[in-house]
């Protein structure tokens, strides 16, 4: 089995390390524009060989994992298209699906199967140096099957990522993926950036922070070349989630303004119930 | 040295464990309404003895740490006032200062010194069972000296909490404390509760979450008897911070709506700069 990872950043590097660990007999190759990164990965023995010219290795690939920016992905697949091996399986890690799939599927020969996926794992620091098998352990994975995908290839990807350590692997429509990710991921990033940017105290707030603030702002070391793209590709869902979130903020704001303790308590009891559900804990209102 | 901890919950229990560890020769006593908690703490040997009747031990106390709800604190100090030992030092852990101090200082005899403090440490789970020395290690501590405090007692509290493991100990005015905590702590709780409550997907969102969502909602297992009190005691600062946060959210919302990638990028570069400052990291825009 020849696996080619395109883009050896944080996620691509974590794939290389995980595959090396879980599939001893696979050959792992990588394509990247950065030669130093490729040499480093070869030295770490997490890839067999690295390439800057995709034509040298793509024709050998049984599985291609595109771990690149969404805007890059389409052009890349377009250039690679004539070189894919018949019956190759392609997959990606992109955080938005519907528009990407609509652009990419028409580019592909019917013998090539692109099974789109999204590992719900990442780090606030970029690059191969911060990649790690650990970030995949028990993380969620989403596969968004389309009518073109062969059942056996969807199953292959599902079993493959489970073996890498992912926990729940969900199969949902691209539309649903974008709706839910607009909430759990993109809205979270909008909020974190807005929170840290709304600090007008400028008197060394960091001396006065607890874990809450550090947790809520952990993702603010954000990749400014990636996230605006993702936001715009999922504009409608994201704008709807922002509106619903603002409605909730305003309910709380009203309760504070009108000294409505009962209303605040009800909102907090509801948030506790949801916290317990999120973490599969039993909720006992007396706790 | 006789230390009395009033309220053996998560924070009170963590004080008991930390003091036992750092000050081997101190006698540690506790007052709680829950007899089982007191017996448990005695069995763990983190207190020498527990009391349900404060009159039995408060007259012996050199240092009293009130680790109770803000609304309870005033009534408690009022009842305890005739029993404090001359030259006793009192302190608290309350998350809002200005109004509490205004209520409490007039209740006290001039020989009793209440040095108000706020450990920026906590757990999402309540009670002695979840208390731990660990939560204090390198956490921030805020002391809000008033004109009535003796300099040596302020210094005593500062050295005492440093020895327990706290990192930065800041001395600021009660007004500034409330302003900054309204931002770093209370606004964070308003946001987290609003985020989890704005989930309208109801199709098992937890299968589709990554670390971002879990981090942003960690504090939603919130104590609904405590936080509405804190919000109202700090109403003006908190409402101002909510307004500024909503302004930032709306700037981002506008940028998304108008496809303004440059504006989003600028906001994210700013958030990265602030992230680095918060974590004392050098910011290199090329990273």
């Amino acid at each position: 089995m020849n696996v080619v990872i395109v883009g050896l950043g944080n996620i691509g590097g974590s794939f290389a390390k995980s595959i090396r660990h879980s599939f001893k007999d696979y050959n792992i190759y990588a394509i990247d524009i950065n030669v130093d990164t490729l040499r480093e990965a070869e030295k770490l023995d997490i890839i067999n060989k690295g390439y800057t010219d995709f034509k040298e290795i793509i024709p050998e690939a049984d599985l291609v994992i595109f771990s690149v920016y969404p805007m890059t992905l389409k052009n890349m697949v377009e250039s690679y298209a004539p070189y894919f091996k018949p019956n190759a399986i392609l997959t990606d890690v992109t955080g938005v699906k519907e528009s990407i799939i609509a652009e990419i599927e028409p580019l592909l020969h019917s013998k090539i199967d692109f099974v789109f996926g999204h590992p719900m794992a990442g780090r606030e620091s970029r690059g191969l140096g911060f990649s790690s098998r650990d970030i995949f352990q028990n993380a969620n994975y989403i596969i968004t099957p389309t009518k073109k995908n062969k059942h056996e290839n969807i199953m292959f990807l599902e079993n493959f990522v489970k073996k890498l350590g992912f926990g729940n692997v969900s199969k949902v429509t691209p539309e649903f993926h974008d709706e839910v990710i607009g909430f759990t991921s993109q809205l979270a990033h909008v909020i974190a950036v807005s929170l840290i940017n709304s600090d007008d105290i400028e008197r060394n707030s960091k001396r006065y922070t607890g874990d809450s603030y550090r947790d809520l702002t952990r993702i603010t070391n954000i990749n400014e070349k990636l996230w605006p793209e993702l936001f715009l590709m999922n504009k409608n869902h994201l704008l709807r989630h922002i509106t619903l979130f603002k409605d909730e903020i305003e309910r709380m704001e009203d309760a504070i303004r009108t000294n409505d303790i009962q209303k605040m308590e009800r909102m907090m009891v509801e948030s506790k119930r949801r916290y317990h559900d999120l973490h599969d804990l039993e909720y006992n209102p007396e706790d």
Side-chain angles (χ1 to χ4, degrees), chain A residues 70-182:
Chain A
M71 295 310 219
T72 316
L73 183 61
K74 189 205 157 187
N75 294 336
M76 214 168 235
V77 174
E78 201 158 23
S79 323
Y80 288 22
Y83 300 91
F84 290 124
K85 187 173 172 178
N87 302 315
I89 303 173
L90 318 182
T91 193
D92 71 327
V93 301
T94 317
V96 179
K97 292 302 180 201
E98 213 179 344
S99 53
I100 279 278
I101 293 174
E103 284 186 339
I104 285 178
E105 283 202 326
L107 304 173
L108 294 168
H109 190 278
S110 66
K111 288 243 168 178
I112 307 300
D113 203 10
F114 203 130
V115 184
F116 293 85
H118 182 193
M120 300 291 296
R123 276 279 168 86
E124 63 270 34
S125 303
R126 296 186 228 173
L128 179 66
F130 291 98
S131 67
S132 156
R133 283 205 315 118
D134 301 341
I135 63 170
F136 290 171
Q137 303 315 302
N138 295 313
N140 290 323
Y141 209 98
I142 310 180
I143 298 175
T144 56
T146 72
K147 284 177 199 150
K148 294 201 167 184
N149 292 144
K150 285 187 189 150
H151 179 70
E152 73 238 41
N153 291 341
I154 297 167
M155 292 301 296
F156 168 83
L157 184 63
E158 178 169 358
N159 292 326
F160 176 73
V161 300
K162 276 190 178 161
K163 203 139 179 227
L164 299 184
F166 283 94
N168 286 315
V169 182
S170 304
K171 282 165 283 182
V172 300
T173 64
E175 296 79 355
F176 177 66
H177 169 277
D178 290 358
E179 185 188 356
V180 74
I181 293 306

Side-chain angles (χ1 to χ4, degrees), chain A residues 187 236-250:
Chain A
L187 177 62
N236 294 338
H237 287 305
L238 178 55
L239 287 175
R240 189 178 72 82
H241 292 305
I242 292 175
T243 300
L244 293 173
F245 169 71
K246 280 169 53 190
D247 291 348
E248 279 298 317
I249 284 275
E250 278 162 12

Side-chain angles (χ1 to χ4, degrees), chain A residues 137-264:
Chain A
Q137 303 315 302
N138 295 313
N140 290 323
Y141 209 98
I142 310 180
I143 298 175
T144 56
T146 72
K147 284 177 199 150
K148 294 201 167 184
N149 292 144
K150 285 187 189 150
H151 179 70
E152 73 238 41
N153 291 341
I154 297 167
M155 292 301 296
F156 168 83
L157 184 63
E158 178 169 358
N159 292 326
F160 176 73
V161 300
K162 276 190 178 161
K163 203 139 179 227
L164 299 184
F166 283 94
N168 286 315
V169 182
S170 304
K171 282 165 283 182
V172 300
T173 64
E175 296 79 355
F176 177 66
H177 169 277
D178 290 358
E179 185 188 356
V180 74
I181 293 306
F183 178 71
T184 60
S185 172
Q186 295 171 348
L187 177 62
H189 283 78
V190 166
I191 289 171
V193 168
S194 301
L195 172 59
I196 204 166
N197 283 352
S198 76
D199 182 359
D200 75 331
I201 294 174
E202 308 218 3
R203 275 172 283 177
N204 213 355
S205 287
K206 67 185 164 198
R207 288 181 66 89
Y208 315 106
T209 55
D211 290 338
S212 326
Y213 188 73
R214 283 188 295 267
D215 278 355
L216 263 78
T217 58
R218 184 187 57 81
I219 53 176
T220 56
N221 192 18
I222 189 169
N223 181 338
E224 82 279 7
K225 296 297 173 195
L226 171 62
W227 285 89
E229 278 185 28
L230 292 173
F231 288 176
L232 292 186
M233 290 168 74
N234 202 20
K235 183 171 171 170
N236 294 338
H237 287 305
L238 178 55
L239 287 175
R240 189 178 72 82
H241 292 305
I242 292 175
T243 300
L244 293 173
F245 169 71
K246 280 169 53 190
D247 291 348
E248 279 298 317
I249 284 275
E250 278 162 12
R251 280 184 62 206
M252 186 67 88
E253 194 181 17
D254 281 345
I256 297 167
R257 187 171 287 122
T258 59
N259 304 319
D260 192 340
I261 289 188
Q262 280 73 36
K263 187 173 170 183
M264 282 187 256

